[in-house]
């Protein structure tokens, strides 16, 4: 029994050692990607909106291939895994779920395409913003150089616009969901009201039919009683007429 138990434990210990080795390699490869830092990043204030962008969650370029995204996902999921962060398991679990959701979004062709549409719109709006800035500077007779001419600044501007667009989409989704929920609630309340009205109408009709029958029965009883009473009176009258005999007229004697 003991030998079997030892045989079961050994592979688990080996797997755990491999897990730790992989984590150390990841941390060594990029010192920024530490478990604590990633958890803080994923759960920072405003993360509800920042994490709507799966590219931001996984820290990958929108133009990265699926294989590249998958590699990053695996690295991050290991770093924030609850087993790796037993001193903060709840926040680690939240972070792990955020990572998984982002990967599932980018793994699926349809949902990834929708995310890319947002990225493209963000780039288009940023480009338009740059054009407007140049026009304004030119009109004012100033140098048409703008901050976004710097690749880093341009990338940040696109990032800000992307975050805004994802946030706008989420707000619209929530508003639509709220309206649909209210509409379903209104319809249900209307259905309940109609059901109660129908139930009351049915009960009223039932009571009316029962009371109508009672009234008919009462009237028949009354009629039968009246007829019996009338017949009795007629009989008594006849008897009285038959029983009453006027005195005979006697001739007057003189």
């Amino acid at each position: 029994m003991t030998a079997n138990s030892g045989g079961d434990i050994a592979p688990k210990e080996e797997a755990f050692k491999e897990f730790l080795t992989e984590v150390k390699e990841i941390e060594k490869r990029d010192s920024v990607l530490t478990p604590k830092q990633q958890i803080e990043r994923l759960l920072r204030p405003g993360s509800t909106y920042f994490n709507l962008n799966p590219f931001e969650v996984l820290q990958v370029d929108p133009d990265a291939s699926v294989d590249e995204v998958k590699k990053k996902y695996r690295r991050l999921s290991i770093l924030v895994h609850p087993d790796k962060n037993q001193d903060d398991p709840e926040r680690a679990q939240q972070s792990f779920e955020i990572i998984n959701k982002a990967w599932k979004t980018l793994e699926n062709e349809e949902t990834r395409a929708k995310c890319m549409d947002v990225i493209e719109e963000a780039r288009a709006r940023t480009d338009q913003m740059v054009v407007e800035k140049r026009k304004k500077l030119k009109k004012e007779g100033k140098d048409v150089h703008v901050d976004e001419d710097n690749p880093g600044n341009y990338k940040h501007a696109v990032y800000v616009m992307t975050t805004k667009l994802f946030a706008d989409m989420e707000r619209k989704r929530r508003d639509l969901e709220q309206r649909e929920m209210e509409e379903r609630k209104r319809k249900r309340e209307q259905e309940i009201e109609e059901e109660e009205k129908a139930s009351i109408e049915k009960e009223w009709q039932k009571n009316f039919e029962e009371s109508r029958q009672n009234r008919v029965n009462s009237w028949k009883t009354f009629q039968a009683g009246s007829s019996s009473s009338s017949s009795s009176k007629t009989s008594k009258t006849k008897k009285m007429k038959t029983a009453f005999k006027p005195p005979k007229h006697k001739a007057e004697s003189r």
Side-chain angles (χ1 to χ4, degrees):
M1 186 70 178
T2 306
N4 289 336
S5 299
D8 291 336
I9 293 173
K12 292 181 180 179
E13 290 179 343
E14 286 297 320
F16 185 67
K17 287 180 180 179
E18 290 179 4
F19 171 80
L20 291 178
T21 300
E22 190 173 358
V23 169
K24 288 179 181 179
E25 288 178 355
I26 292 173
E27 292 177 345
K28 184 178 180 181
R29 200 159 50 234
D30 192 338
S31 60
V32 175
L33 296 178
T34 62
K36 185 177 180 179
Q37 287 174 322
Q38 286 298 336
I39 291 173
E40 290 298 328
R41 178 181 72 86
L42 294 167
L43 300 179
R44 68 193 185 279
S47 59
T48 300
Y49 287 106
F50 289 124
N51 293 339
L52 293 172
N53 182 354
F55 299 108
E56 167 65 14
V57 170
L58 298 178
Q59 294 186 309
V60 293
D61 190 274
D63 298 319
S65 67
V66 176
D67 287 338
E68 290 176 314
V69 175
K70 187 174 183 178
K71 288 179 182 178
K72 194 62 177 289
Y73 155 69
R74 291 188 63 189
R75 291 169 62 188
L76 290 177
S77 63
I78 289 173
L79 288 171
V80 302
H81 197 283
D83 291 345
K84 168 66 178 176
N85 300 275
Q86 296 183 11
D87 59 327
D88 194 5
E90 291 185 8
R91 283 163 56 81
Q93 181 63 35
Q94 292 177 39
S95 301
F96 185 73
E97 290 172 1
I98 291 169
I99 293 292
N100 274 324
K101 183 179 179 181
W103 162 242
K104 288 179 180 178
T105 299
L106 297 182
E107 180 187 28
N108 182 280
E109 291 185 7
E110 184 177 347
T111 51
R112 179 168 183 164
K114 290 180 179 179
C115 291
M116 284 305 300
D117 288 342
V118 175
I119 298 295
E120 292 303 322
E121 184 175 350
R123 288 171 177 169
R125 290 195 183 192
T126 302
D127 291 342
Q128 184 60 36
M129 178 189 69
V130 171
V131 170
E132 294 299 326
K133 277 187 176 183
R134 292 190 195 282
K135 284 183 178 179
K136 183 179 179 182
L137 290 171
K138 185 176 181 180
K139 187 176 181 179
E140 294 173 352
K142 298 179 181 178
D143 182 8
V144 294
H145 175 77
V146 295
D147 292 340
E148 287 75 18
D149 288 335
N150 180 290
N153 292 339
Y154 177 81
K155 186 175 182 179
H156 178 71
V158 172
Y159 162 75
V160 172
M161 183 61 70
T162 301
T163 302
K164 180 182 182 302
L165 291 178
F166 271 112
D168 290 343
M169 283 177 59
E170 178 63 11
R171 279 192 288 269
K172 288 178 181 178
R173 185 192 68 79
R174 291 183 180 182
D175 289 344
L176 179 61
E177 189 178 71
Q178 180 67 25
R179 287 197 297 271
E180 289 178 345
M181 184 177 68
E182 290 175 353
E183 180 63 17
R184 287 195 298 271
K185 181 181 177 182
R186 186 190 67 77
K187 286 183 177 179
R188 183 53 189 154
E189 289 176 346
Q190 185 176 352
E191 287 174 359
I192 292 173
E193 184 178 346
E194 290 175 353
E195 288 171 1
E196 290 178 348
K197 185 178 180 181
S199 178
I200 293 172
E201 180 68 22
K202 184 178 180 181
E203 187 67 23
W204 184 90
Q205 190 66 29
K206 179 183 177 183
N207 293 335
F208 176 79
E209 290 297 329
E210 289 178 352
S211 62
R212 186 174 70 85
Q213 188 61 43
N214 290 336
R215 290 195 301 273
V216 170
N217 293 339
S218 296
W219 176 250
K220 287 181 178 179
T221 302
F222 173 76
Q223 287 288 78
S226 297
S227 176
S228 175
S229 177
S230 176
S231 175
S232 177
K233 286 181 179 180
T234 303
S235 177
K236 286 181 180 180
T237 303
K238 286 182 178 179
K239 287 180 179 180
M240 287 178 66
K241 287 181 177 180
T242 303
F244 176 75
K245 293 181 179 181
K248 291 182 179 181
H249 180 72
K250 292 182 178 181
E252 182 178 348
S253 58
R254 294 188 181 262

PDB file of all heavy atoms in Angstrom, residues 208-224:
ATOM      1  N   PHE A 208     -71.248  33.841 -10.865  1.00  0.00           N
ATOM      2  CA  PHE A 208     -72.481  34.342 -11.463  1.00  0.00           C
ATOM      3  C   PHE A 208     -73.385  33.183 -11.898  1.00  0.00           C
ATOM      4  O   PHE A 208     -74.591  33.189 -11.665  1.00  0.00           O
ATOM      5  CB  PHE A 208     -72.174  35.237 -12.668  1.00  0.00           C
ATOM      6  CG  PHE A 208     -73.396  35.716 -13.397  1.00  0.00           C
ATOM      7  CD1 PHE A 208     -74.144  36.776 -12.906  1.00  0.00           C
ATOM      8  CD2 PHE A 208     -73.818  35.075 -14.564  1.00  0.00           C
ATOM      9  CE1 PHE A 208     -75.282  37.209 -13.570  1.00  0.00           C
ATOM     10  CE2 PHE A 208     -74.945  35.501 -15.235  1.00  0.00           C
ATOM     11  CZ  PHE A 208     -75.681  36.571 -14.736  1.00  0.00           C
ATOM     12  N   GLU A 209     -72.770  32.158 -12.541  1.00  0.00           N
ATOM     13  CA  GLU A 209     -73.540  31.002 -12.990  1.00  0.00           C
ATOM     14  C   GLU A 209     -74.157  30.270 -11.804  1.00  0.00           C
ATOM     15  O   GLU A 209     -75.315  29.855 -11.847  1.00  0.00           O
ATOM     16  CB  GLU A 209     -72.634  30.042 -13.792  1.00  0.00           C
ATOM     17  CG  GLU A 209     -72.201  30.566 -15.153  1.00  0.00           C
ATOM     18  CD  GLU A 209     -73.375  30.771 -16.082  1.00  0.00           C
ATOM     19  OE1 GLU A 209     -74.377  30.025 -15.954  1.00  0.00           O
ATOM     20  OE2 GLU A 209     -73.312  31.667 -16.936  1.00  0.00           O
ATOM     21  N   GLU A 210     -73.342  30.116 -10.737  1.00  0.00           N
ATOM     22  CA  GLU A 210     -73.848  29.430  -9.554  1.00  0.00           C
ATOM     23  C   GLU A 210     -74.986  30.216  -8.909  1.00  0.00           C
ATOM     24  O   GLU A 210     -76.019  29.661  -8.526  1.00  0.00           O
ATOM     25  CB  GLU A 210     -72.717  29.222  -8.555  1.00  0.00           C
ATOM     26  CG  GLU A 210     -71.688  28.183  -9.005  1.00  0.00           C
ATOM     27  CD  GLU A 210     -70.560  28.037  -8.012  1.00  0.00           C
ATOM     28  OE1 GLU A 210     -70.510  28.851  -7.051  1.00  0.00           O
ATOM     29  OE2 GLU A 210     -69.719  27.130  -8.186  1.00  0.00           O
ATOM     30  N   SER A 211     -74.792  31.536  -8.794  1.00  0.00           N
ATOM     31  CA  SER A 211     -75.824  32.368  -8.178  1.00  0.00           C
ATOM     32  C   SER A 211     -77.073  32.439  -9.061  1.00  0.00           C
ATOM     33  O   SER A 211     -78.200  32.488  -8.574  1.00  0.00           O
ATOM     34  CB  SER A 211     -75.287  33.782  -7.918  1.00  0.00           C
ATOM     35  OG  SER A 211     -74.933  34.407  -9.137  1.00  0.00           O
ATOM     36  N   ARG A 212     -76.859  32.418 -10.394  1.00  0.00           N
ATOM     37  CA  ARG A 212     -78.002  32.432 -11.314  1.00  0.00           C
ATOM     38  C   ARG A 212     -78.851  31.173 -11.142  1.00  0.00           C
ATOM     39  O   ARG A 212     -80.082  31.228 -11.089  1.00  0.00           O
ATOM     40  CB  ARG A 212     -77.523  32.535 -12.756  1.00  0.00           C
ATOM     41  CG  ARG A 212     -78.657  32.708 -13.774  1.00  0.00           C
ATOM     42  CD  ARG A 212     -78.099  32.958 -15.154  1.00  0.00           C
ATOM     43  NE  ARG A 212     -77.464  31.770 -15.675  1.00  0.00           N
ATOM     44  CZ  ARG A 212     -78.106  30.790 -16.309  1.00  0.00           C
ATOM     45  NH1 ARG A 212     -79.422  30.848 -16.480  1.00  0.00           N
ATOM     46  NH2 ARG A 212     -77.468  29.740 -16.759  1.00  0.00           N
ATOM     47  N   GLN A 213     -78.165  30.032 -11.029  1.00  0.00           N
ATOM     48  CA  GLN A 213     -78.873  28.780 -10.826  1.00  0.00           C
ATOM     49  C   GLN A 213     -79.615  28.784  -9.502  1.00  0.00           C
ATOM     50  O   GLN A 213     -80.744  28.304  -9.391  1.00  0.00           O
ATOM     51  CB  GLN A 213     -77.875  27.605 -10.869  1.00  0.00           C
ATOM     52  CG  GLN A 213     -78.535  26.230 -10.868  1.00  0.00           C
ATOM     53  CD  GLN A 213     -79.436  26.033 -12.076  1.00  0.00           C
ATOM     54  OE1 GLN A 213     -79.072  26.392 -13.195  1.00  0.00           O
ATOM     55  NE2 GLN A 213     -80.624  25.476 -11.847  1.00  0.00           N
ATOM     56  N   ASN A 214     -78.946  29.372  -8.489  1.00  0.00           N
ATOM     57  CA  ASN A 214     -79.593  29.486  -7.178  1.00  0.00           C
ATOM     58  C   ASN A 214     -80.836  30.359  -7.256  1.00  0.00           C
ATOM     59  O   ASN A 214     -81.872  30.064  -6.635  1.00  0.00           O
ATOM     60  CB  ASN A 214     -78.617  30.050  -6.146  1.00  0.00           C
ATOM     61  CG  ASN A 214     -77.505  29.063  -5.793  1.00  0.00           C
ATOM     62  OD1 ASN A 214     -77.683  27.853  -5.952  1.00  0.00           O
ATOM     63  ND2 ASN A 214     -76.378  29.587  -5.322  1.00  0.00           N
ATOM     64  N   ARG A 215     -80.710  31.453  -8.044  1.00  0.00           N
ATOM     65  CA  ARG A 215     -81.851  32.342  -8.199  1.00  0.00           C
ATOM     66  C   ARG A 215     -83.001  31.642  -8.917  1.00  0.00           C
ATOM     67  O   ARG A 215     -84.167  31.790  -8.572  1.00  0.00           O
ATOM     68  CB  ARG A 215     -81.439  33.610  -8.959  1.00  0.00           C
ATOM     69  CG  ARG A 215     -80.531  34.538  -8.175  1.00  0.00           C
ATOM     70  CD  ARG A 215     -80.469  35.922  -8.819  1.00  0.00           C
ATOM     71  NE  ARG A 215     -79.969  35.844 -10.195  1.00  0.00           N
ATOM     72  CZ  ARG A 215     -78.680  35.869 -10.506  1.00  0.00           C
ATOM     73  NH1 ARG A 215     -77.760  35.918  -9.539  1.00  0.00           N
ATOM     74  NH2 ARG A 215     -78.300  35.821 -11.769  1.00  0.00           N
ATOM     75  N   VAL A 216     -82.636  30.865  -9.957  1.00  0.00           N
ATOM     76  CA  VAL A 216     -83.665  30.120 -10.702  1.00  0.00           C
ATOM     77  C   VAL A 216     -84.351  29.111  -9.792  1.00  0.00           C
ATOM     78  O   VAL A 216     -85.583  28.989  -9.773  1.00  0.00           O
ATOM     79  CB  VAL A 216     -83.029  29.398 -11.913  1.00  0.00           C
ATOM     80  CG1 VAL A 216     -84.034  28.423 -12.542  1.00  0.00           C
ATOM     81  CG2 VAL A 216     -82.559  30.410 -12.950  1.00  0.00           C
ATOM     82  N   ASN A 217     -83.529  28.404  -9.027  1.00  0.00           N
ATOM     83  CA  ASN A 217     -84.094  27.412  -8.099  1.00  0.00           C
ATOM     84  C   ASN A 217     -84.988  28.071  -7.047  1.00  0.00           C
ATOM     85  O   ASN A 217     -86.054  27.559  -6.707  1.00  0.00           O
ATOM     86  CB  ASN A 217     -82.971  26.631  -7.409  1.00  0.00           C
ATOM     87  CG  ASN A 217     -82.207  25.747  -8.375  1.00  0.00           C
ATOM     88  OD1 ASN A 217     -82.708  25.402  -9.445  1.00  0.00           O
ATOM     89  ND2 ASN A 217     -80.976  25.390  -8.024  1.00  0.00           N
ATOM     90  N   SER A 218     -84.521  29.219  -6.548  1.00  0.00           N
ATOM     91  CA  SER A 218     -85.318  29.945  -5.545  1.00  0.00           C
ATOM     92  C   SER A 218     -86.635  30.413  -6.138  1.00  0.00           C
ATOM     93  O   SER A 218     -87.697  30.348  -5.499  1.00  0.00           O
ATOM     94  CB  SER A 218     -84.530  31.156  -5.023  1.00  0.00           C
ATOM     95  OG  SER A 218     -83.371  30.732  -4.358  1.00  0.00           O
ATOM     96  N   TRP A 219     -86.565  30.890  -7.402  1.00  0.00           N
ATOM     97  CA  TRP A 219     -87.787  31.358  -8.060  1.00  0.00           C
ATOM     98  C   TRP A 219     -88.766  30.216  -8.297  1.00  0.00           C
ATOM     99  O   TRP A 219     -89.962  30.346  -8.089  1.00  0.00           O
ATOM    100  CB  TRP A 219     -87.426  32.030  -9.388  1.00  0.00           C
ATOM    101  CG  TRP A 219     -88.635  32.457 -10.187  1.00  0.00           C
ATOM    102  CD1 TRP A 219     -89.114  31.941 -11.337  1.00  0.00           C
ATOM    103  CD2 TRP A 219     -89.530  33.509  -9.838  1.00  0.00           C
ATOM    104  NE1 TRP A 219     -90.233  32.591 -11.759  1.00  0.00           N
ATOM    105  CE2 TRP A 219     -90.524  33.576 -10.850  1.00  0.00           C
ATOM    106  CE3 TRP A 219     -89.588  34.427  -8.772  1.00  0.00           C
ATOM    107  CZ2 TRP A 219     -91.559  34.501 -10.830  1.00  0.00           C
ATOM    108  CZ3 TRP A 219     -90.626  35.350  -8.761  1.00  0.00           C
ATOM    109  CH2 TRP A 219     -91.596  35.379  -9.775  1.00  0.00           C
ATOM    110  N   LYS A 220     -88.214  29.049  -8.703  1.00  0.00           N
ATOM    111  CA  LYS A 220     -89.069  27.883  -8.909  1.00  0.00           C
ATOM    112  C   LYS A 220     -89.712  27.447  -7.606  1.00  0.00           C
ATOM    113  O   LYS A 220     -90.904  27.099  -7.565  1.00  0.00           O
ATOM    114  CB  LYS A 220     -88.256  26.729  -9.483  1.00  0.00           C
ATOM    115  CG  LYS A 220     -87.880  26.922 -10.953  1.00  0.00           C
ATOM    116  CD  LYS A 220     -87.088  25.726 -11.469  1.00  0.00           C
ATOM    117  CE  LYS A 220     -86.759  25.892 -12.946  1.00  0.00           C
ATOM    118  NZ  LYS A 220     -85.978  24.740 -13.449  1.00  0.00           N
ATOM    119  N   THR A 221     -88.918  27.457  -6.549  1.00  0.00           N
ATOM    120  CA  THR A 221     -89.452  27.096  -5.233  1.00  0.00           C
ATOM    121  C   THR A 221     -90.535  28.059  -4.810  1.00  0.00           C
ATOM    122  O   THR A 221     -91.592  27.684  -4.293  1.00  0.00           O
ATOM    123  CB  THR A 221     -88.319  27.100  -4.178  1.00  0.00           C
ATOM    124  OG1 THR A 221     -87.299  26.189  -4.592  1.00  0.00           O
ATOM    125  CG2 THR A 221     -88.851  26.698  -2.806  1.00  0.00           C
ATOM    126  N   PHE A 222     -90.260  29.353  -5.071  1.00  0.00           N
ATOM    127  CA  PHE A 222     -91.234  30.394  -4.730  1.00  0.00           C
ATOM    128  C   PHE A 222     -92.514  30.206  -5.532  1.00  0.00           C
ATOM    129  O   PHE A 222     -93.623  30.287  -5.007  1.00  0.00           O
ATOM    130  CB  PHE A 222     -90.636  31.774  -4.994  1.00  0.00           C
ATOM    131  CG  PHE A 222     -91.627  32.893  -4.833  1.00  0.00           C
ATOM    132  CD1 PHE A 222     -92.011  33.323  -3.567  1.00  0.00           C
ATOM    133  CD2 PHE A 222     -92.188  33.504  -5.950  1.00  0.00           C
ATOM    134  CE1 PHE A 222     -92.944  34.340  -3.428  1.00  0.00           C
ATOM    135  CE2 PHE A 222     -93.124  34.524  -5.802  1.00  0.00           C
ATOM    136  CZ  PHE A 222     -93.493  34.947  -4.548  1.00  0.00           C
ATOM    137  N   GLN A 223     -92.331  29.934  -6.831  1.00  0.00           N
ATOM    138  CA  GLN A 223     -93.487  29.732  -7.701  1.00  0.00           C
ATOM    139  C   GLN A 223     -94.309  28.517  -7.251  1.00  0.00           C
ATOM    140  O   GLN A 223     -95.535  28.552  -7.215  1.00  0.00           O
ATOM    141  CB  GLN A 223     -93.024  29.514  -9.153  1.00  0.00           C
ATOM    142  CG  GLN A 223     -92.514  30.770  -9.822  1.00  0.00           C
ATOM    143  CD  GLN A 223     -93.625  31.728 -10.151  1.00  0.00           C
ATOM    144  OE1 GLN A 223     -94.126  32.432  -9.261  1.00  0.00           O
ATOM    145  NE2 GLN A 223     -94.041  31.778 -11.413  1.00  0.00           N
ATOM    146  N   ALA A 224     -93.553  27.450  -6.930  1.00  0.00           N
ATOM    147  CA  ALA A 224     -94.243  26.241  -6.469  1.00  0.00           C
ATOM    148  C   ALA A 224     -94.988  26.522  -5.176  1.00  0.00           C
ATOM    149  O   ALA A 224     -96.125  26.090  -4.981  1.00  0.00           O
ATOM    150  CB  ALA A 224     -93.219  25.118  -6.268  1.00  0.00           C
TER     151      ALA A 224
END
